[in-house]
């Protein structure tokens, strides 16, 4: 029983749930069928897509539900991450199944408002899956939270590419069938695996080695998908080739269970068995006890502000929350603006349809590598040098600013090079921000806090996509119809976004300076006391 009841099996279950959770990023697959079947204009299609994005980025309720059920004594079936995943499953099935019924004509064409609701539910499922998996991983691997979050976010970033490969194998050319597949697969998979996702109070002492093995799986799957995507855009593949692609992908995704088995078998024999319980077996729920000062007399403003497990309103009353929020708005806003306009940028710069399609497909890979890499590297630097994690966030934002300048230059190949830099740096923020939030504000309400900060993404995207990129593009195209061709179409927009991300780097740097003493006094000392190999 112990072989199936440990943090490593919980990690594998979370990874596999993440692999089918990135459904909002597959909107491009079924959007043409949705538009034609419902008779939507492009403006109406963009409107319903906005509600899908809102659902995917507004996950505060998921965090509140996690905090309300994970730390209190509740019935087994209603405790911990399970209830959060279950609520996500209900929304996922209802959202995508109702869209499928609408597209196939099984039900009468619904009003636009109802379709907005359907897609909001479909998108809103992702934050529930993501919150349960990410927050549980942080609890289980407190000393390597950056790496754990990076792994979870990395597989989430790859999920869209994996689902698209399944679509091309099973129902290529039939987007309606893809909607049915997503509604069933992305519901049944989490329903089965949610029973294994639990919080454990144990530190085996050799966690980094096994987490590194999970990290290598992210890298291998990413490299495999990049190779497949490139080949698909170079040669025409028969159905048998697509079947073989799926088989190899499943074999790669089965590797985590072998890693979990090895970790449990090689567990140090001197591990205290009392520390191997999971939260479901606790007689008393987790108590939100503030960290005690390491040294008497230390009453600095920054230290007193950071100690303890903050709730959302307490966190929002601190300057650190708003510095992290603003840095995230600059990072995610500019990244989403780039992604949303990648096809139009390619057209303006003379790229072929095949090239722009490849760029969009590869974005998810760079995004995933950024998520995983930032978590791993920031953990390594924190353990080795003791540097505050927000400093790494400031560095990646500065590099992201350079990526925007590369795209703005308009030189041959600039979109390839720039999208790699921006994609990796954009993905890095998605793993750094939750980890920083857990370290500064505590893990008890981590899900609520980081999901609230995530709202900065669509907010920044609206300002930069609509008020900057869209406005400038329409102005440049005013004398040429609805399209614009040339470097001038996006040059000014990307110079502005470069400045915005540089400003975000300044916000992150300010957060780093404010939290430097806290990291040295609390986080680094805790790591030094932790049993690691």
């Amino acid at each position: 029983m112990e072989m199936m009841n440990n943090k490593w099996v919980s990690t594998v279950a979370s990874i596999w749930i993440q692999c089918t959770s990135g459904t909002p990023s597959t909107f491009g697959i079924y959007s043409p069928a949705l538009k034609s079947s419902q008779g939507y204009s492009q403006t109406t299609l963009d409107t319903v897509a906005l509600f899908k994005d809102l659902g995917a980025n507004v996950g505060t309720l998921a965090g509140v539900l996690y905090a309300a059920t994970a730390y209190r004594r509740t019935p087994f079936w209603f405790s911990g991450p399970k209830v959060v995943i279950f609520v996500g499953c209900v929304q996922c099935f209802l959202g995508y199944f109702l869209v499928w019924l609408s597209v196939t004509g099984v039900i009468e064409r619904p009003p636009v408002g109802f379709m907005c609701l359907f897609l909001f539910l479909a998108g809103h499922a992702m934050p529930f899956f993501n919150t349960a998996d990410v927050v549980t991983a942080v609890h289980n691997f407190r000393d390597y939270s950056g790496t754990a979050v990076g792994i979870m976010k990395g597989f989430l970033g790859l999920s869209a590419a994996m689902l698209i490969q399944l679509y091309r194998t099973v129902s290529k050319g039939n987007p309606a069938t893809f909607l049915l597949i997503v509604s069933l697969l992305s519901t049944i998979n989490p329903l089965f695996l949610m029973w294994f996702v639990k919080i454990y109070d144990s530190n085996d002492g050799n966690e980094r080695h096994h987490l590194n093995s999970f990290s290598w799986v992210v890298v291998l799957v990413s490299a495999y998908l990049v190779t497949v995507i490139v080949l698909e855009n170079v040669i025409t593949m028969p159905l048998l080739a697509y079947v073989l692609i799926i088989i190899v992908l499943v074999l790669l995704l089965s590797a985590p269970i072998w890693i979990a088995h090895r970790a449990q078998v090689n567990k140090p024999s001197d591990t205290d068995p009392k520390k191997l319980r999971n939260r479901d077996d606790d007689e008393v729920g987790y108590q939100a006890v503030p960290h005690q000062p390491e040294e008497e007399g230390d009453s600095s403003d920054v230290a007193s502000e950071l100690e303890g497990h903050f709730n959302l309103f307490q966190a929002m009353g601190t300057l650190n929350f708003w510095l992290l929020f603003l840095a995230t708005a600059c990072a995610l806003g500019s990244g989403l603006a780039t992604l949303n306009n990648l096809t139009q940028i390619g057209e303006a710069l003379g790229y072929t349809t095949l090239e722009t399609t490849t760029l969009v497909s590869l974005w998810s890979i760079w995004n995933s590598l950024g998520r995983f890499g930032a978590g791993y590297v920031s953990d390594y630097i924190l353990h080795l040098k003791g540097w505050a994690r927000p400093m790494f966030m400031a560095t990646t934002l500065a590099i992201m600013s350079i990526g925007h300048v590369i795209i703005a230059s308009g030189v041959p190949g600039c979109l390839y090079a720039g999208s790699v830099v921006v994609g990796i740096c954009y993905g890095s923020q998605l793993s750094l921000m939750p980890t920083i939030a857990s370290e500064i504000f505590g893990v008890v309400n981590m899900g609520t806090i980081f999901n609230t900060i995530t709202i900065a993404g669509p907010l920044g995207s609206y300002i930069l996509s609509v008020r900057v990129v869209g406005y400038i593009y329409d102005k440049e195209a005013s004398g040429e119809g609805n399209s614009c061709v040339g470097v001038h179409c996006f040059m000014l927009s990307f110079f502005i976004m470069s400045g915005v991300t540089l400003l975000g780097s300044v916000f992150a740097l300010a957060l780093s300076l404010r939290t430097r003493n806290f990291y040295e006094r609390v986080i680094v000392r805790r790591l030094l006391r932790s049993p690691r190999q």
Side-chain angles (χ1 to χ4, degrees):
M1 182 63 180
E2 185 178 326
M3 291 299 295
M4 296 299 294
N5 194 31
N6 57 75
K7 67 164 61 177
W8 301 108
V9 171
S10 174
T11 303
V12 174
S14 293
I15 285 173
W16 287 347
I17 290 174
Q18 294 291 82
C19 288
T20 59
S21 298
T23 53
S25 298
T26 64
F27 181 74
I29 296 295
Y30 59 87
S31 59
L34 179 62
K35 181 178 180 179
S36 60
S37 66
Q38 305 303 300
Y40 289 161
S41 65
Q42 186 62 38
T43 301
T44 305
L45 183 67
D46 289 340
T47 300
V48 297
L50 173 63
F51 278 84
K52 180 264 300 179
D53 291 336
L54 285 174
N57 287 280
V58 180
T60 304
L61 181 59
V64 171
L65 185 59
Y66 191 103
T69 58
Y71 312 117
R72 292 173 175 81
R73 189 177 180 183
T74 53
F76 173 77
W77 59 270
F78 195 72
S79 61
K82 291 187 291 295
V83 65
V84 181
I85 295 173
F86 178 77
V87 173
C89 290
V90 172
Q91 294 181 91
C92 182
F93 178 75
L94 285 177
Y96 283 110
F97 192 70
L98 288 170
V99 174
W100 174 74
L101 291 176
S102 303
V103 169
T104 55
V106 176
I107 61 175
E108 188 177 350
R109 182 186 300 176
V112 175
F114 280 92
M115 186 60 72
C116 290
L117 175 62
F118 298 162
L119 283 171
F120 178 85
L121 286 173
H124 201 226
M126 188 181 77
F128 282 78
F129 299 140
N130 187 51
T131 298
D133 296 331
V134 168
V135 179
T136 302
V138 169
H139 276 291
N140 290 341
F141 302 101
R142 292 294 302 278
D143 295 341
Y144 296 97
S145 56
T147 302
V149 171
I151 291 169
M152 295 301 157
K153 290 287 190 176
F155 279 105
L156 180 63
L158 292 173
S159 63
M162 291 187 279
L163 289 170
I164 290 173
Q165 288 305 318
L166 181 63
Y167 160 70
R168 289 175 174 171
T169 303
V170 177
S171 60
K172 185 176 182 180
N174 190 351
T177 304
F178 176 74
L179 282 167
L180 180 61
I181 292 173
V182 167
S183 67
L184 295 175
L185 178 62
S186 298
T187 301
I188 295 173
N189 182 53
L191 275 177
F192 173 75
L193 295 170
M194 69 181 187
W195 306 101
F196 301 97
V197 182
K198 304 175 184 177
I199 300 173
Y200 291 87
D201 293 324
S202 65
N203 188 326
D204 298 341
N206 58 351
E207 295 175 346
R208 184 175 69 177
H209 173 71
H210 301 300
L211 286 174
N212 286 349
S213 297
F214 286 122
S215 299
W216 274 111
V217 178
V218 178
V219 175
L220 287 174
V221 174
S222 299
Y224 176 70
L225 288 173
V226 168
T227 303
V228 169
I229 291 171
V230 171
L231 287 176
E232 286 175 340
N233 286 275
V234 173
I235 61 176
T236 301
M237 293 187 177
L239 178 60
L240 178 60
Y242 282 108
V243 172
L244 291 175
I245 287 170
I246 293 297
I247 292 174
V248 174
L249 183 59
V250 170
L251 290 175
L252 288 174
L253 293 177
S254 68
I257 195 64
W258 176 79
I259 297 170
H261 175 75
R262 186 182 64 181
Q264 188 64 14
V265 169
N266 296 334
K267 182 181 63 179
S269 58
D270 59 348
T271 301
D272 185 356
K274 294 182 179 180
K275 294 183 178 181
L276 294 178
R277 69 185 187 281
N278 64 70
R279 294 290 186 196
D280 293 331
D281 300 327
D282 285 351
E283 290 299 321
V284 180
Y286 186 85
Q287 301 297 317
V289 180
H291 302 302
Q292 296 300 318
E294 296 292 332
E295 298 178 6
E296 295 184 3
D298 185 355
S299 58
S300 65
D301 292 339
V302 174
S304 62
E305 179 182 326
L306 293 176
E307 289 173 354
H309 297 279
F310 288 51
N311 63 36
L312 176 60
F313 297 107
Q314 290 170 334
M316 291 179 70
T318 68
L319 177 59
N320 297 311
F321 176 92
W322 294 108
L323 287 173
L324 186 57
F325 184 92
L326 290 171
T328 302
C330 294
L332 301 191
S334 63
L336 286 171
T338 302
L339 174 61
N340 292 340
N341 293 279
L342 203 57
T343 299
Q344 288 73 27
I345 299 167
E347 292 173 352
L349 296 178
Y351 287 74
T352 66
T353 302
L354 178 62
E355 289 173 327
T356 55
T357 302
T358 302
L359 281 167
V360 173
S361 298
L362 290 176
W363 174 275
S364 65
I365 309 297
W366 312 139
N367 176 17
S368 175
L369 290 176
R371 298 179 190 216
F372 147 70
Y376 178 85
V377 175
S378 65
D379 257 356
Y380 179 80
I381 294 175
L382 179 62
H383 284 77
L384 185 66
K385 299 290 186 179
W387 291 354
R389 210 181 299 267
M391 178 61 74
F392 192 78
M393 188 179 200
T395 303
T396 54
L397 275 167
I399 297 173
M400 190 176 185
S401 178
I402 297 173
H404 288 306
V405 171
I406 293 174
I407 296 176
S409 68
V411 299
C414 67
L415 194 52
Y416 282 101
S419 65
V420 171
V421 175
V422 175
I424 290 175
C425 292
Y426 166 78
S428 71
Q429 313 309 314
L430 294 171
S431 62
L432 286 172
M433 183 272 288
T435 310
I436 293 171
S438 72
E439 291 171 337
I440 293 179
F441 303 114
V443 296
V444 172
N445 295 290
M446 170 194 170
T448 308
I449 293 171
F450 92 75
N451 275 308
T452 300
I453 296 174
T454 303
I455 298 173
L459 177 63
S461 175
Y462 172 77
I463 295 172
L464 292 174
S465 290
V466 178
R467 299 301 180 184
V468 176
V469 178
Y471 174 78
I472 294 176
Y473 181 89
D474 289 340
K475 186 177 180 180
E476 293 292 338
S478 60
E480 307 172 20
N482 294 323
S483 62
C484 180
V485 178
V487 177
H488 63 283
C489 301
F490 291 96
M491 177 181 287
L492 179 57
S493 298
F494 275 89
F495 277 129
I496 292 173
M497 288 198 288
S498 177
V500 168
T501 49
L502 199 58
L503 179 62
S505 179
V506 173
F507 289 135
L509 180 60
L511 180 63
S512 177
L513 294 175
R514 282 181 53 82
T515 59
R516 182 176 56 187
N517 292 336
F518 170 76
Y519 270 85
E520 292 175 353
R521 186 174 57 80
V522 178
I523 304 298
V524 174
R525 288 190 182 186
R526 189 191 74 211
L527 295 176
L528 291 175
R529 290 195 301 267
S530 177
R532 304 189 308 274
Q533 290 183 355

